[in-house]
Amino acid sequence: MSKETIHLNISGMSCVNCSNGIEKFLKKQDGVENCDVSFASSQGDFEIDTQKFSKKKLIDKIELLGYHVQEDVKHLEEAQKKEFQNLKRLFIISISLTILIFVFSFSNILNENLKNYTIFLIASVVQFYSGKRFYKLGFKALINRNYDMNVLVALGTSAAYFYSTFVLFFPTLFPENLRFLYFDGAAVIISFVLLGRYLEERSKQKASDFLKKLMNLAPQYANLIDKENNINQVLATQLKISDTILVKTGEQIPADGEIIKGKADIDTSMITGESLPLFKQQGDEVLSGTVNTNGVITIKVTKLAKDTTLSKIIDLLKSAQSKQIPISRLADKIANIFVPTVIIISIFTFIVWAFVGNMQNAILASISVLIISCPCALGLATPIAIVSSVSRGAKDGILIKNPEILEIIKDIKFAVFDKTGTLTKGKIAVINTDIPKIHFSKIQNLEKLSEHPISKAIVEYMNKQEISNIDYDIEDLEIIAGRGIKAKIEKEEILLGNIQLLNENNIEVLPKHLETYKKYLELGNGVILAAIDKKTVGSFILADELKEDAKELINKLKKLDIKPILLTGDNKTTAKKIAELLQIDEIYSEVIPTQKYEIIKEIQKNGKVMFVGDGINDALSIKQADIGVTLNSGSDISKDAGDIILINNELLAVAKSINLSIQTIRIIKENLFWAFIYNGIGIPLAAGILYSINGLMLTPMYAGIAMSFSSVTVVLNSLRLKLKKL
């Protein structure tokens, strides 16, 4: 057996029952191993056995159901736009003709006979032109035994229309008290259902706005520099690794790459959320979709168009939007058995009213039951909330790869953190020194010659000090691995390094400097001693600084009753120091990746665990945890393993993602409530349960309005996520 996964863009789906119908139909085909179709994203993934089933056959089967497969996202968007405009046109025609029907019905412009035949003609246009989509999709649904809302609308309006037609043309077949016409009711129902679809489609498109904006960020063209230094404009998708491209001021960067010439301020806000442009120069990495706001740069392409950071973010968002969570699967199952149940209730209602001798109510009630029961709102309740949630998160730099975690995030008991690069900046910095300033300029000149991270930290520290910029001649430079750096400046020997470097050069460390050295080493800091002309002059105290928002995050988690835990490969002293600063009580230090994994498993015995890390060594723990969170600055492996990626690397986004998940589940539950309450109250009313008490009975027209607004309520409720403060 040879398996292949095929991704298709599908247009023409009008509600979640359409996507369910496609899945149900295709799963019956020999050779289709699995399929996952999303109404919200209009996309589907199909796993087929290529020896039994081909891609062409797959597309033919989908189109046989009445839907269309689009070549790519661009064509899908065009098809959706066309469908949206078509819905708008059909609604305008339908509502205009419906108003005309009411004008004729309640005026004396025409005599009674001519008026009824004119209304019949207008209603026929509404029924078979504006409403033809319900027949078309409903018929195909029936053939495939997928009883969706199109079946209900087609059945309900047809019952009203054909009953009225028979009364009009063959009145003698009916008793005098049953000669009523319901053309207006059928027309109103079709108009309101079309309005509901139109509003629903517009809201769905708004929910995916952020994804579309991201997709539009990918530049189409690039200025390719050839071997003769000519500049040719080519499609960005044609760029190859190691191609050289030119990016001018105001242009978008067309590919991920490295600057090999020039410098510029780059606006990375849409990718990282960074509000201010970042200065980038030779050797720095730049990302596709970001904007060169000032400067001219030449870039060497390092990733193909399909592998850029922007492409990966878009792919992950698409994937997340098309996934279902357990509560969603429950709603879909209910929706699938809902339609046959409603048809049975409708038939039962007709029989009961007919049995008591009221044929008019039998017809009205059975039609009303069919109309009000459309499970569209029920099917839409979860996917539209997930689309809004994923988009809202992405806007705040929270990339939710796996929406399934939305349902369990509220149950987290423990938040376990890696240290370096997660709670700390992962970058060595000088936090203090007792070296007299008079020596700074010489030390700066010397450290500039080394690429070691400690040397860079010292240079960075020096750059912030007010010191004289003097260029010294440096002689006899030696960079000694594991020890430090040694050279002569103006005949003075300068040594910068650890105590071994000084001992090996027979330099006595003065007691006050030795005391500082030991003290900070015990506190978990790094210490670099400095000696000039055979005498120690002081030391630099080094540390991996805490991130600015680390403490605030820990406090927020504690308020949410989530226990923070530190899990690090660092030594006990360093781990203890960081834990004390953050007021974390539980610490695991000096652990290797497999030990981290085992510790996570142990903690899970006491409750749900979220793990936040960024390194390759964290990938196992990220995957094992109930919710794995990783930073965008982390390794590709950790990002692949994570359920959530913090795009702008802000730790506070962890708390925001928890709030977003809690609010999303709340919205889904509200949506399900609204979907059920409309049906729960509407069906008995439509069946006439209160008729014997107070004469109240829902007519088909009001049933149609209620059904349409149940969907609109669910969509609008989901869009509230966009306004929520996280």
Side-chain angles (χ1 to χ4, degrees), residues 633-701:
S633 57
S635 67
D636 285 345
I637 293 175
S638 69
K639 281 189 272 190
D640 285 344
D643 300 302
I644 296 174
I645 299 176
L646 307 181
I647 297 293
N648 49 17
N649 300 313
E650 284 181 7
L651 276 180
L652 280 178
V654 172
K656 285 183 180 178
S657 65
I658 294 171
N659 285 332
L660 176 64
S661 303
I662 291 170
Q663 289 178 12
T664 302
I665 294 301
R666 189 178 298 151
I667 291 277
I668 289 173
K669 287 180 178 172
E670 287 172 4
N671 284 351
L672 290 173
F673 168 80
W674 284 113
F676 278 119
I677 202 72
Y678 270 104
N679 287 325
I681 296 174
I683 291 176
L685 280 179
I689 199 167
L690 295 179
Y691 187 78
S692 60
I693 300 171
N694 55 14
L696 180 65
M697 196 165 182
L698 214 58
T699 65
M701 181 179 78

Side-chain angles (χ1 to χ4, degrees), residues 42-43 94-95 100 119 121 149 176 251 259 268 292 294 329 350-351 383 402 416 477 528 539 574 642 660 726:
S42 302
Q43 292 173 334
S94 183
I95 196 68
L100 200 57
I119 289 173
L121 289 174
M149 69 170 290
E176 198 166 333
E251 288 183 340
I259 297 177
T268 63
N292 176 3
N294 181 26
R329 285 191 279 273
F350 181 87
I351 292 170
N402 177 15
V416 185
L477 175 69
I528 295 296
S539 56
T574 306
L660 176 64
L726 298 180

Side-chain angles (χ1 to χ4, degrees), residues 62-78:
I62 293 172
E63 296 198 331
L64 182 69
L65 293 173
Y67 309 103
H68 301 285
V69 174
Q70 304 298 334
E71 189 180 336
D72 52 32
V73 175
K74 188 181 172 187
H75 285 87
L76 175 65
E77 283 185 352
E78 285 172 2

Side-chain angles (χ1 to χ4, degrees), residues 427-462:
K427 182 183 171 188
I428 298 167
V430 174
I431 59 167
N432 200 8
T433 183
D434 56 357
I435 298 171
K437 276 196 172 183
I438 193 171
H439 301 305
F440 279 9
S441 188
K442 289 179 182 173
I443 291 172
Q444 186 187 39
N445 271 263
L446 182 56
E447 293 287 21
K448 272 183 182 175
L449 300 176
S450 170
E451 286 297 311
H452 195 280
I454 291 177
S455 296
K456 287 183 176 177
I458 292 173
V459 172
E460 195 175 321
Y461 177 79
M462 292 292 179

Side-chain angles (χ1 to χ4, degrees), residues 352-509:
V352 169
W353 278 110
F355 184 74
V356 298
N358 192 332
M359 281 304 291
Q360 183 181 349
N361 280 2
I363 293 165
L364 286 178
S366 56
I367 292 172
S368 295
V369 167
L370 287 177
I371 296 300
I372 203 168
S373 307
C374 289
C376 196
L378 180 64
L380 202 59
T382 310
I384 201 71
I386 291 175
V387 168
S388 293
S389 176
V390 171
S391 295
R392 176 72 175 85
K395 200 174 176 183
D396 274 47
I398 303 163
L399 182 57
I400 301 170
K401 281 173 59 187
N402 177 15
E404 285 195 15
I405 54 101
L406 291 171
E407 207 167 347
I408 58 170
I409 212 164
K410 65 182 188 308
D411 302 322
I412 293 172
K413 295 289 179 198
F414 307 97
V416 185
F417 291 90
D418 166 53
K419 184 187 82 65
T420 308
T422 304
L423 291 174
T424 67
K425 292 179 179 175
K427 182 183 171 188
I428 298 167
V430 174
I431 59 167
N432 200 8
T433 183
D434 56 357
I435 298 171
K437 276 196 172 183
I438 193 171
H439 301 305
F440 279 9
S441 188
K442 289 179 182 173
I443 291 172
Q444 186 187 39
N445 271 263
L446 182 56
E447 293 287 21
K448 272 183 182 175
L449 300 176
S450 170
E451 286 297 311
H452 195 280
I454 291 177
S455 296
K456 287 183 176 177
I458 292 173
V459 172
E460 195 175 321
Y461 177 79
M462 292 292 179
N463 288 340
K464 294 174 186 171
Q465 311 303 312
E466 292 179 2
I467 58 175
S468 308
N469 269 328
I470 304 170
D471 284 331
Y472 290 101
D473 291 327
I474 296 174
E475 301 171 14
D476 302 334
L477 175 69
E478 278 185 78
I479 298 172
I480 308 159
R483 295 288 187 270
I485 188 167
K486 176 182 172 185
K488 279 188 178 177
I489 298 177
E490 293 184 336
K491 297 182 180 175
E492 283 183 336
E493 187 182 60
I494 299 182
L495 287 90
L496 290 157
N498 55 23
I499 200 162
Q500 286 83 2
L501 177 70
L502 271 61
N503 289 338
E504 287 165 7
N505 284 274
N506 300 315
I507 297 171
E508 185 188 354
V509 182

Side-chain angles (χ1 to χ4, degrees), residues 22 50 69 108 210 227 249 346 426 463 503 505 595 654 659 714:
I22 295 172
T50 50
V69 174
N108 295 317
F210 185 74
K227 290 177 182 174
T249 301
S346 174
N463 288 340
N503 289 338
N505 284 274
Q595 289 172 322
V654 172
N659 285 332
V714 162

